[in-house]
Amino acid sequence: MADIHSEHNSDNGAAQRKQIWKVFYILSILTAVEFLIAFTIPQGTLKVSIFVGMTIVKAFYIVGEFMHLKHEVKSLIWSILIPCIFVVWLLLALMLEGGSIFSLR
Amino acid sequence: MAATATTTDTVQPKMWMGGIEPMKASYGKLMMWFFLISDTFTFSALLVSYGLVRFSYPAYAGEVADFTFSDLYWPIPEKVYEAVPFLHGVELPLVFVGIMTFILIFSSVTMVLAVEAGHRMDRAGVEKYMLWTILGGFTFLGCQAWEWAHFIHGTDTGTVVRELVNGAWVEKTIFGANLVENQYGPPAFADFFFFITGFHGTHVFSGVILNILIFYRSATGFYDRRGHYEMVEKVGLYWHFVDLVWVFVFTFFYLV
């Protein structure tokens, strides 16, 4: 794995720069596809799940490669990820709560 | 021993003052990560409350083509954000916000290239890529200022709303949005727009200030004298986080 933050490479960091641009192309293509989906797929659960899935993939590349978390030690990875899992739970719980406020109005 | 300690200070920035390296990260980097986790909670709180309030309002039920603004249901984002600078009256849904997303992703790439140049102690490279990152940050802020101005001033026709004024229902046309009135939908929609994009914009602004500081310090040779460019990496973490937040704002505010 070409570690984009490792030091003293024999090729003077060329492999790292290649990896950075690869991540940039992935992020750009994903954003372009999101843009297309916004106008081609009708509003509904399918569309929302595609968007959420693509957002998580983008977040994975930004946090994993640009922020280098993928190449940190496991304890650091988990101390960042576990709190975020609770946030996702809160998000889902309160969206359901919002739906029930709507039906009570 | 003293000589070893001095070497450790300059050559291995990861070593903490106790001589160990918790989580194999330097003190500054680990603290930046924990700051970012706390900042994640703040942004999540805003997005979670957006989710709660959005689903407590009725959704627009008709065809997308027949959509009109009303404070009775939550608006479809692509109908709200359809303006692009210099193209007045042309309906280009989500184009401008898409451009803003690209600008921010691009400035994230130049930031990580600056970090990479810093690893090679390549001062000219760090300076070049920091300048691109600063330029990207300012461009994004400019775009956001335009977007806010358009959102506040509203469309040409405005929206007719019924309001209770001094006990009587009156009909009036409102243009644009502020914290109490909103032509695009319920007032809460505009409130969340201002708070979420405003809070993110504040982060971009402080990120640009930090980037300028990093640029100045590398240009004056500060990091060369220190022996490493780790500060670029730490500020880079913050800058990527700002990009990451925008990815989520883009999805949950503009797309869904």
Side-chain angles (χ1 to χ4, degrees):
Chain A
M1 172 63 233
D3 180 346
I4 59 170
H5 290 260
S6 70
E7 291 161 56
H8 313 305
N9 270 30
S10 50
D11 59 354
N12 213 7
Q16 296 164 34
R17 286 193 293 276
K18 211 178 142 196
Q19 173 71 8
I20 292 168
W21 286 108
K22 200 182 111 194
V23 174
F24 170 68
Y25 293 130
I26 293 171
L27 291 175
S28 306
I29 290 166
L30 281 176
T31 308
V33 171
E34 276 187 329
F35 195 75
L36 279 179
I37 290 173
F39 301 108
T40 45
I41 295 182
Q43 211 76 34
T45 320
L46 176 70
K47 193 178 178 181
V48 173
S49 3
I50 291 174
F51 279 149
V52 170
M54 292 176 85
T55 306
I56 290 169
V57 174
K58 278 162 86 177
F60 169 79
Y61 277 107
I62 292 173
V63 178
E65 294 293 344
F66 285 178
M67 295 171 88
H68 195 226
L69 190 62
K70 211 171 127 189
H71 312 289
E72 302 286 358
V73 292
K74 280 219 168 60
S75 58
L76 180 51
I77 295 177
W78 286 114
S79 23
I80 301 302
L81 281 187
I82 291 173
C84 295
I85 293 168
F86 286 105
V87 169
V88 172
W89 166 73
L90 183 67
L91 179 68
L92 290 174
L94 284 194
M95 268 160 58
L96 289 172
E97 189 66 23
S100 99
I101 292 174
F102 168 64
S103 47
L104 287 173
R105 265 181 184 162
Chain B
M1 273 319 279
T4 324
T6 321
T7 327
T8 314
D9 279 349
T10 48
V11 180
Q12 288 177 290
K14 281 179 175 175
M15 203 65 83
W16 291 26
M17 280 172 78
I20 51 159
E21 237 185 288
M23 290 178 173
K24 293 263 189 301
S26 72
Y27 176 80
K29 240 162 93 175
L30 202 58
M31 292 308 124
M32 182 52 95
W33 271 111
F34 288 132
F35 163 68
L36 293 181
I37 261 294
S38 73
D39 223 15
T40 306
F41 294 155
T42 319
F43 273 109
S44 312
L46 286 167
L47 282 173
V48 165
S49 43
Y50 176 78
L52 173 81
V53 172
R54 183 189 174 148
F55 282 96
S56 68
Y57 273 91
Y60 174 70
E63 285 293 309
V64 176
D66 306 328
F67 178 82
T68 49
F69 293 131
S70 162
D71 55 356
L72 299 175
Y73 45 77
W74 208 257
I76 303 174
E78 64 187 64
K79 294 288 175 186
V80 180
Y81 311 104
E82 41 86 339
V84 172
F86 311 114
L87 294 170
H88 185 81
V90 186
E91 204 180 298
L92 295 163
L94 300 179
V95 167
F96 192 52
V97 71
I99 295 170
M100 285 166 72
T101 307
F102 271 110
I103 291 168
L104 214 55
I105 290 177
F106 196 77
S107 78
S108 223
V109 171
T110 54
M111 185 80 221
V112 78
L113 286 169
V115 172
E116 194 273 329
H119 283 312
R120 287 182 281 114
M121 300 295 288
D122 172 10
R123 187 161 119 189
V126 173
E127 286 172 26
K128 179 176 86 177
Y129 288 122
M130 283 317 292
L131 271 184
W132 279 111
T133 312
I134 293 164
L135 182 71
F138 273 126
T139 315
F140 181 85
L141 285 172
C143 292
Q144 208 169 35
W146 186 89
E147 172 127 320
W148 272 50
H150 178 79
F151 193 82
I152 291 167
H153 288 116
T155 58
D156 290 339
T157 46
T159 304
V160 180
V161 291
R162 274 163 57 80
E163 263 183 6
L164 197 57
V165 179
N166 294 332
W169 284 100
V170 289
E171 275 202 350
K172 66 172 189 171
T173 310
I174 51 173
F175 297 92
N178 52 41
L179 289 177
V180 288
E181 273 183 340
N182 177 9
Q183 79 155 94
Y184 310 102
F189 174 73
D191 297 347
F192 277 113
F193 173 81
F194 289 126
F195 271 88
I196 293 177
T197 63
F199 201 60
H200 177 262
T202 313
H203 276 74
V204 177
F205 181 72
S206 29
V208 170
I209 299 291
L210 289 174
N211 286 346
I212 290 172
L213 184 73
I214 296 300
F215 171 74
Y216 175 77
R217 288 192 136 183
S218 46
T220 51
F222 184 87
Y223 300 122
D224 275 341
R225 285 195 295 280
R226 186 183 268 180
H228 60 85
Y229 279 77
E230 213 212 17
M231 205 61 204
V232 183
E233 215 169 318
K234 284 181 256 185
V235 172
L237 278 179
Y238 179 77
W239 190 252
H240 298 312
F241 174 76
V242 167
D243 181 30
L244 178 74
V245 168
W246 183 256
V247 164
F248 280 91
V249 171
F250 180 63
T251 303
F252 290 111
F253 213 90
Y254 292 94
L255 291 179
V256 174

